[in-house]
Amino acid sequence: MSTEPKPEPIELLKARPVPHPGRVISGIIVALIAITVIHSLFTNPKYDWPTVQKWLFAPSIVRGVMYTLLLTVCAMLIGIVLALLAAVGRKSTNPVNRAVAGFYIWFFRGTPIYTQLIFWGVLPSLYSQVSIGLPIGPQYVLGNTQEIFTPLVCALLGLGLNEGAYLAEIFRSGFAAVDPGQAEAAKALGMSPRQIQWRIVAPQAMRVIVPPTGNETISMLKTTSLVIAIPVTNELTFQATRIGQKYYTVIPMLIVAALWYLFITSVLMVGQHYLEAYYGRGSATGSGKAVPKRQLSKKQAAILAAHTVTDDPFLEFTP
């Protein structure tokens, strides 16, 4: 018969969270401010919400939205192409290419976008004709500058050239973030330089490139409101301002434009979120937690489940 004493029952501690009165007070203050702002939005008759509702889907406003989207998409495409060329030029062994790419980035990042757009607007007054050829040789005249460089073309060139300078630095930093050893390993396996760039370097660089590029796209959407400097009169802000001045409803029409910008920006933010999740598969998120397995491809999930390798976020692109 055992004579060992029975262990005393374990009494669990009832831990209480440390009080944080500062958080409670700050939360109450922020809530009161938010309630005050929301109350003023719906009780101040000067906002004129019936007029906002009347013009929100008016044909002229919708056309302005479509024109703004056209400017945003086309300018970003031009900027991406120029950024790739400039990023490659910065890494080129040719000193002329490096100098031209560096000057392009320096100039368009160093001058305000509004000033650049004004320059494009006065371009026909600087050059009456567009021609190609050698400076001291025969030239072939393409046509009148004012006919070729329409306000839309000038707006796209101004926005695209400016955006390309900023995206070039984003692309350069994204490619520089990839470990050079991976390219060397792919080269040892017999992959061509093009295959190394598109199958090894580019997929990994996209994880660094996508977030700031998404932010630049959202910024471009709002920057299109500056094309009035050329002038381009079909975009959203100008149309809303014109209608507001015509009917003495400036504030309601500005609210209409703001609501459309908020809606489009929200859609772009959702798309950016999914793009970041796609290119960041298998990596750690900002909170330090691993990305859920459902975001991995079947091939990646099977390799990681075998526990034969470490968690590599780019197993799918490994040759």
Side-chain angles (χ1 to χ4, degrees):
M1 186 174 181
S2 175
T3 59
E4 295 180 0
K6 295 182 180 180
E8 295 182 1
I10 300 174
E11 184 179 353
L12 299 177
L13 296 176
K14 296 181 180 179
R16 296 181 180 179
V18 179
H20 297 282
R23 297 180 184 178
V24 177
I25 295 173
S26 62
I28 293 174
I29 294 175
V30 172
L32 290 175
I33 294 174
I35 292 173
T36 303
V37 172
I38 294 173
H39 179 266
S40 67
L41 287 176
F42 290 97
T43 57
N44 191 338
K46 295 181 180 180
Y47 286 110
D48 198 359
W49 291 104
T51 302
V52 173
Q53 183 179 3
K54 174 185 176 182
W55 286 97
L56 188 60
F57 297 100
S60 57
I61 296 297
V62 174
R63 282 196 301 270
V65 172
M66 295 296 104
Y67 210 85
T68 297
L69 290 175
L70 174 66
L71 288 172
T72 302
V73 173
C74 293
M76 287 303 299
L77 291 176
I78 295 173
I80 289 173
V81 173
L82 293 174
L84 286 172
L85 295 176
V88 172
R90 287 289 299 273
K91 296 175 62 177
S92 175
T93 57
N94 190 321
V96 176
N97 293 340
R98 287 201 310 271
V100 171
F103 177 81
Y104 163 70
I105 295 172
W106 167 78
F107 179 81
F108 284 97
R109 291 182 67 188
T111 54
I113 177 61
Y114 193 77
T115 303
Q116 297 174 26
L117 291 174
I118 293 176
F119 170 82
W120 285 104
V122 300
L123 184 64
S125 64
L126 296 174
Y127 302 97
S128 59
Q129 292 181 335
V130 179
S131 59
I132 57 174
L134 297 176
I136 57 175
Q139 297 185 354
Y140 176 73
V141 178
L142 298 178
N144 186 275
T145 304
Q146 196 166 5
E147 295 177 355
I148 296 176
F149 289 91
T150 61
L152 176 61
V153 173
C154 291
L156 291 177
L157 289 175
L159 295 174
L161 284 168
N162 180 265
E163 188 61 35
Y166 287 92
L167 289 178
E169 290 299 286
I170 294 174
F171 288 178
R172 184 188 60 81
S173 62
F175 290 125
V178 180
D179 186 0
Q182 300 208 21
E184 295 175 2
K187 186 177 181 180
L189 292 173
M191 298 182 69
S192 65
R194 179 175 297 181
Q195 288 177 323
I196 294 173
Q197 288 295 325
W198 288 104
R199 300 186 61 182
I200 304 298
V201 177
Q204 299 185 63
M206 289 299 289
R207 188 173 61 182
V208 179
I209 293 173
V210 166
T213 302
N215 294 336
E216 287 294 322
T217 304
I218 294 173
S219 178
M220 175 60 69
L221 173 71
K222 295 173 287 186
T223 305
T224 55
S225 61
L226 299 178
V227 296
I228 184 60
I230 290 180
V232 175
T233 60
N234 295 326
E235 60 88 30
L236 176 59
T237 299
F238 181 87
Q239 288 295 320
T241 304
R242 181 183 62 82
I243 296 172
Q245 293 174 348
K246 180 178 181 181
Y247 296 101
Y248 302 100
T249 56
V250 176
I251 293 177
M253 295 310 302
L254 290 178
I255 294 175
V256 168
L259 290 175
W260 274 110
Y261 281 120
L262 286 172
F263 171 74
I264 301 171
T265 300
S266 301
V267 174
L268 292 176
M269 291 174 66
V270 172
Q272 178 183 357
H273 167 75
Y274 283 104
L275 275 177
E276 291 182 15
Y278 175 79
Y279 285 107
R281 292 172 297 176
S283 62
T285 60
S287 60
K289 298 180 180 179
V291 176
K293 295 294 183 182
R294 57 183 175 83
Q295 294 183 6
L296 301 176
S297 65
K298 293 181 179 180
K299 181 179 178 181
Q300 285 177 309
I303 294 175
L304 295 178
H307 300 290
T308 57
V309 295
T310 57
D311 288 0
D312 184 353
F314 300 104
L315 289 172
E316 185 178 3
F317 306 102
T318 302

